Amino acid sequence: MSSAPAAAPAATTHDAQGRELVVSVSNLKKHFPISSGVIVQRQVGAVKAVDGVSFNVYKGETLGLVGESGCGKSTTGRTVLQLYKPTAGSVKFEGHELTTMGGNELRNMRRKMQMIFQDPFASLNPRMSVGNIVSEPLKIHNVIQNKVELQEYVEALLQRVGLNPYYVNRYPHEFSGGQRQRIGIARALALRPTFIVADEPISALDVSIQAQVVNLLEDLQEEFNLTYLFIAHDLSMVRHICDRVAVMYLGKIVEIGPTDVVYDNPLHPYTQALLSAVPVPDPMVERNRQRIILKGDVPSPARPPVGCNFNTRCPVALSGICYQDPDPELVEMEPGHFVACHRVTPF
Amino acid sequence: MGVLMEVKNLVTRFYTQEGVVYAVNDVSYVLNERETLGVVGESGSGKSVHALSIMRLIAMPPGKIEKGEVLFQGRDLLKLKNEEMRLVRGAEIAMIFQDPMTSLNPVLTIGTQITEALKLHMGMDNKAATERAAELLTMVGIPDAKRRLKNFPHQFSGGMRQRVMIAMALSCNPKLLIADEPTTALDVTIQAQIIELIKNLRDQFGMAIIWISHDLGVVAGLSDTVQVMYGGRIVERGPVEEVFGDTRHPYTLGLLRSLPRHDTSNNRERLVQIEGAPPDMRKPPTGCPFAPRCTYKIAKCEEQMPPLMPGPEAHEEHLKACWIDVRNGQPLPEAMETQHV
């Protein structure tokens, strides 16, 4: 792994506290149109998958993005990487605005930002050998021309993620779920990115394999100085792996802050309910826990409620303000800990 | 509490083109009335196949229940005629599955599907069955039940569909409910709703539950007894506090150590991982199925499967299949004795 591919120049940027920014997202929106009509298609509405999300990701940290299915966490990850074209908002990567980029310019930026997918069965082409899967990014970006060098680089990469380099000519179906996820990780690492979006990288794996993959991700982060956006619904694993966590509900961030602060002192009623719903593998603790059981389901993002998005399930919603526009904004309640809730913030 | 069901030496295999899959290997246990048994294991551990074998829902071929007995209130279910078994399913033993969408018929209304069992097993007429169905839906927390009976499965959310499945399962007051990963496909807040519902209904109906899950947390909160499966075998079994508080099998111990917890801080330490991968059940190891991944293993582990036995100074109902005392890593006297026989 000595011959690292050349990377695009980085413009370093810092926030007010002097921390180095890798990604800066502001007011990001992604709306998917709902069309109707047989002959003439017209737009009758929009699924507001991501509806005004702002956050920073700092150099070397892991930011967790948690929430239930349909809350927009995966869409946020994909929109940040410009795999979806955002409806509105800005995404700055190492100081460069991505949303206005196109073609070659964007392709060059992609070298430095990669993705690990949830489903290791669907995200690897079954007709390509492991060697081809891992070397494809290198060929597309024309990083290593020499065939022998390429082969050596790929084998070293496989070794680094815990796979036998001897497997280079095998096909994905010959591997277990954990091994496939390692192939996906090797592919993401091939171009030596600085930023990786990991979209539920362990959800599809068996319990005894999850720790292996998490440990690998942590080792690689240290070794290659990586910055992660870690999308997950497993709140226990998020507490373990993330420095900061953002909780999403119906396309918006409702709470964001340092992981221990948010877990020990959750301020948003949704975060409180979410944490209280997670079972703990300890019968003594479980027996004495008081759960906040939320009523009902998440509303459709095509028809979000008027006022605060959480008002249909909120156990402490106030009649009046919580049911009127505008939605609550994120307010800093203690250093670095932001919450969007009328009940918490003074009004 | 009396014995409700006794599973004896259950062996289930699948004869596939790629070879014989040894899915369930000699599983025996006793389930009491009103007991909640949590069955924990990874994919391929045999936890689901063992439950499907009890219900005789294994597709044959390729599957085959090779041997064993399932004595449900004294009757061996495996010896019943198909027609007799049909009267047991739904009426005495009900089952709910992971994915409620694929377990409901998409072209029939919810009402039709719930009343079917009531008419078949309880001999109700249309009107009585519809009324009972509405009652059941209300009981599982579906508002506006009368109107919802006319809805189709796709008109319900995932959590609501699982509630419908539970209503159907409970419609004939079964003595045993088998739940195969019923909350795995649901979000945590919905999972909490369903578990709360099941806890209430369990007390109300006085039924026994076999709850199959890979989530140790869910099982810890719900079960009286826990049974850990690996490689088609029970490797540890006992009262829930004992299995979690005084763990005696290296696999269970490994799982518990590898899980981070969200309720304690300072868990940035490296996770203790179990090396390797679960065994390929087409070629199960000769001895203990966990031996290839076990850090405590001795030569005997790869030669002979240890029997389920109580550990030294452990609760009498707390059994484990391991030659080692995990508290000190030393082989048990049993391991030594049999070696010289």
Side-chain angles (χ1 to χ4, degrees):
Chain A
M1 294 265 304
S2 51
S3 56
T12 53
T13 41
H14 297 81
D15 75 346
Q17 280 88 45
R19 287 176 295 185
E20 189 179 341
L21 277 168
V22 175
V23 174
S24 179
V25 175
S26 64
N27 205 23
L28 187 69
K29 290 185 183 177
K30 178 64 199 173
H31 296 178
F32 294 99
I34 306 169
S35 301
S36 176
V38 181
I39 298 162
V40 184
Q41 290 269 316
R42 63 200 168 83
Q43 195 184 328
V44 292
V47 174
K48 296 176 179 173
V50 180
D51 201 20
V53 160
S54 305
F55 59 87
N56 290 334
V57 191
Y58 300 102
K59 183 83 193 158
E61 80 165 349
T62 303
L63 174 67
L65 205 51
V66 302
E68 298 179 278
S69 46
C71 73
K73 54 189 192 300
S74 289
T75 307
T76 302
R78 285 164 178 247
T79 314
V80 166
L81 293 185
Q82 307 297 306
L83 295 177
Y84 293 142
K85 190 152 181 50
T87 308
S90 138
V91 179
K92 284 202 174 107
F93 176 73
E94 291 179 348
H96 306 282
E97 178 63 53
L98 296 181
T99 53
T100 51
M101 268 185 201
N104 281 333
E105 213 183 353
L106 187 58
R107 198 169 302 128
N108 277 333
M109 295 311 288
R110 287 233 160 95
R111 279 192 192 190
K112 307 183 73 182
M113 40 185 212
Q114 291 287 320
M115 186 148 182
I116 300 169
F117 297 91
Q118 170 173 4
D119 188 346
F121 294 81
S123 58
L124 301 177
N125 186 338
R127 290 163 194 274
M128 285 169 76
S129 70
V130 169
N132 281 332
I133 288 171
V134 175
S135 60
E136 195 181 26
L138 299 159
K139 289 176 190 157
I140 289 173
H141 289 277
N142 214 4
V143 177
I144 304 176
Q145 280 92 355
N146 184 315
K147 275 204 171 138
V148 179
E149 263 179 53
L150 185 65
Q151 172 97 0
E152 280 170 7
Y153 183 77
V154 167
E155 285 180 4
L157 204 52
L158 289 179
Q159 186 126 39
R160 181 61 201 89
V161 299
L163 288 171
N164 192 334
Y166 174 73
Y167 294 159
V168 71
N169 290 320
R170 294 199 184 179
Y171 287 82
H173 73 268
E174 297 173 75
F175 295 89
S176 68
Q179 288 174 315
R180 286 184 209 207
Q181 202 53 290
R182 290 176 194 267
I183 299 169
I185 292 170
R187 175 177 61 186
L189 280 178
L191 290 166
R192 289 292 188 86
T194 50
F195 176 59
I196 291 182
V197 174
D199 188 3
E200 306 248 16
I202 57 164
S203 313
L205 304 179
D206 267 322
V207 185
S208 76
I209 306 297
Q210 290 185 354
Q212 296 176 0
V213 173
V214 166
N215 283 341
L216 174 65
L217 287 172
E218 290 185 319
D219 292 345
L220 294 171
Q221 178 168 41
E222 200 166 316
E223 191 174 331
F224 299 110
N225 197 14
L226 293 167
T227 304
Y228 288 142
L229 180 63
F230 189 84
I231 299 167
H233 65 260
D234 179 342
L235 287 130
S236 308
M237 205 53 98
V238 164
R239 179 160 200 175
H240 170 77
I241 201 171
C242 297
D243 303 292
R244 289 190 308 131
V245 63
V247 182
M248 282 190 76
Y249 187 82
L250 215 59
K252 291 195 156 98
I253 291 177
V254 296
E255 186 159 2
I256 181 168
T259 311
D260 278 345
V261 174
V262 172
Y263 277 66
D264 291 335
N265 182 26
L267 294 174
H268 197 283
Y270 176 63
T271 315
Q272 291 169 354
L274 198 60
L275 285 171
S276 96
V278 181
V280 178
D282 184 338
M284 299 307 183
V285 173
E286 280 292 310
R287 201 159 300 158
N288 301 317
R289 271 177 94 191
Q290 284 298 315
R291 285 221 151 79
I292 306 166
I293 307 277
L294 290 179
K295 290 191 291 281
D297 288 305
V298 184
S300 161
R303 275 172 285 111
V306 175
C308 173
N309 272 348
F310 188 53
N311 64 21
T312 57
R313 303 172 83 194
C314 184
V316 295
L318 289 174
S319 59
I321 182 158
C322 291
Y323 295 88
Q324 291 159 2
D325 283 331
D327 302 359
E329 298 281 328
L330 279 173
V331 174
E332 187 165 18
M333 300 303 291
E334 52 189 315
H337 185 188
F338 295 79
V339 186
C341 175
H342 292 307
R343 287 300 304 259
V344 178
T345 52
F347 54 88
Chain B
M1 277 193 286
V3 171
L4 179 67
M5 185 173 75
E6 196 173 349
V7 178
K8 284 185 178 168
N9 308 100
L10 185 68
V11 175
T12 304
R13 291 179 191 150
F14 292 89
Y15 293 85
T16 66
Q17 287 189 335
E18 288 86 39
V20 184
V21 181
Y22 296 81
V24 178
N25 303 307
D26 200 15
V27 163
S28 304
Y29 62 91
V30 173
L31 180 74
N32 287 322
E33 285 168 3
R34 292 169 169 266
E35 178 180 353
T36 302
L37 170 67
V39 180
V40 193
E42 298 177 270
S43 46
S45 65
K47 60 189 193 304
S48 291
V49 174
H50 120 270
L52 291 171
S53 303
I54 292 171
M55 289 292 270
R56 284 183 39 194
L57 290 173
I58 298 285
M60 301 194 229
K64 189 163 180 232
I65 300 172
E66 293 282 352
K67 60 174 202 160
E69 292 170 60
V70 179
L71 300 171
F72 185 79
Q73 298 187 307
R75 279 197 302 173
D76 187 354
L77 298 184
L78 300 184
K79 290 208 173 67
L80 293 184
K81 294 199 183 91
N82 280 339
E83 305 84 74
E84 292 171 321
M85 190 61 206
R86 217 170 288 144
L87 295 176
V88 173
R89 278 189 216 117
E92 294 182 63
I93 310 178
M95 190 157 180
I96 53 177
F97 298 89
Q98 173 171 348
D99 183 354
M101 193 59 204
T102 53
S103 340
L104 290 166
N105 188 331
V107 298
L108 297 178
T109 64
I110 294 300
T112 314
Q113 298 187 56
I114 303 181
T115 53
E116 184 189 359
L118 291 167
K119 287 190 249 178
L120 183 72
H121 291 303
M122 314 283 275
M124 289 186 184
D125 62 15
N126 232 329
K127 187 161 171 277
T130 308
E131 251 165 54
R132 179 70 184 141
E135 263 175 50
L136 286 162
L137 281 194
T138 312
M139 195 179 66
V140 297
I142 295 182
D144 200 7
K146 274 235 158 68
R147 190 179 58 80
R148 294 292 259 168
L149 283 175
K150 298 189 188 100
N151 285 168
F152 291 89
H154 73 267
Q155 290 167 294
F156 292 81
S157 66
M160 283 294 169
R161 267 182 228 137
Q162 200 53 282
R163 286 172 192 264
V164 171
M165 286 303 298
I166 292 168
M168 281 172 72
L170 300 186
S171 59
C172 302
N173 302 337
K175 299 195 181 68
L176 170 61
L177 173 69
I178 301 179
D180 188 1
E181 305 247 10
T183 59
T184 305
L186 305 175
D187 281 317
V188 277
T189 62
I190 307 296
Q191 169 173 283
Q193 290 174 355
I194 298 290
I195 290 172
E196 199 63 23
L197 174 69
I198 289 278
K199 278 184 180 168
N200 292 337
L201 294 174
R202 170 178 69 183
D203 301 339
Q204 207 175 319
F205 281 73
M207 61 190 171
I209 297 177
I210 297 180
W211 187 282
I212 298 166
S213 179
H214 67 272
D215 188 326
L216 287 158
V218 171
V219 166
L222 198 67
S223 316
D224 304 311
T225 309
V226 176
Q227 189 162 294
V228 183
M229 290 187 71
Y230 190 84
R233 294 178 187 272
I234 299 172
V235 295
E236 182 160 12
R237 177 192 153 84
V240 64
E241 316 80 41
E242 300 294 327
V243 172
F244 282 88
D246 183 22
T247 311
R248 295 302 181 101
H249 195 280
Y251 173 62
T252 321
L253 205 59
L255 279 186
L256 286 170
R257 282 185 185 155
S258 73
L259 288 176
R261 285 173 58 160
H262 75 86
D263 61 335
T264 45
S265 64
N266 187 26
N267 67 357
R268 293 304 306 262
E269 283 166 42
R270 197 180 160 82
L271 296 175
V272 183
Q273 66 188 42
I274 305 178
E275 300 295 342
D280 179 351
M281 292 317 288
R282 285 171 299 187
K283 294 170 248 152
T286 38
C288 170
F290 189 62
R293 305 174 76 186
C294 187
T295 48
Y296 296 93
K297 122 184 118 182
I298 55 171
K300 181 157 183 90
C301 300
E302 289 178 323
E303 290 156 14
Q304 196 185 343
M305 176 67 197
L308 261 182
M309 54 189 167
E313 294 141 50
H315 189 281
E316 54 175 5
E317 288 171 18
H318 184 184
L319 310 174
K320 51 101 208 202
C322 182
W323 294 121
I324 308 293
D325 186 345
V326 292
R327 295 172 306 169
N328 54 25
Q330 295 301 309
L332 292 170
E334 287 88 338
M336 302 312 204
E337 276 165 30
T338 34
Q339 228 159 11
H340 301 297
V341 170

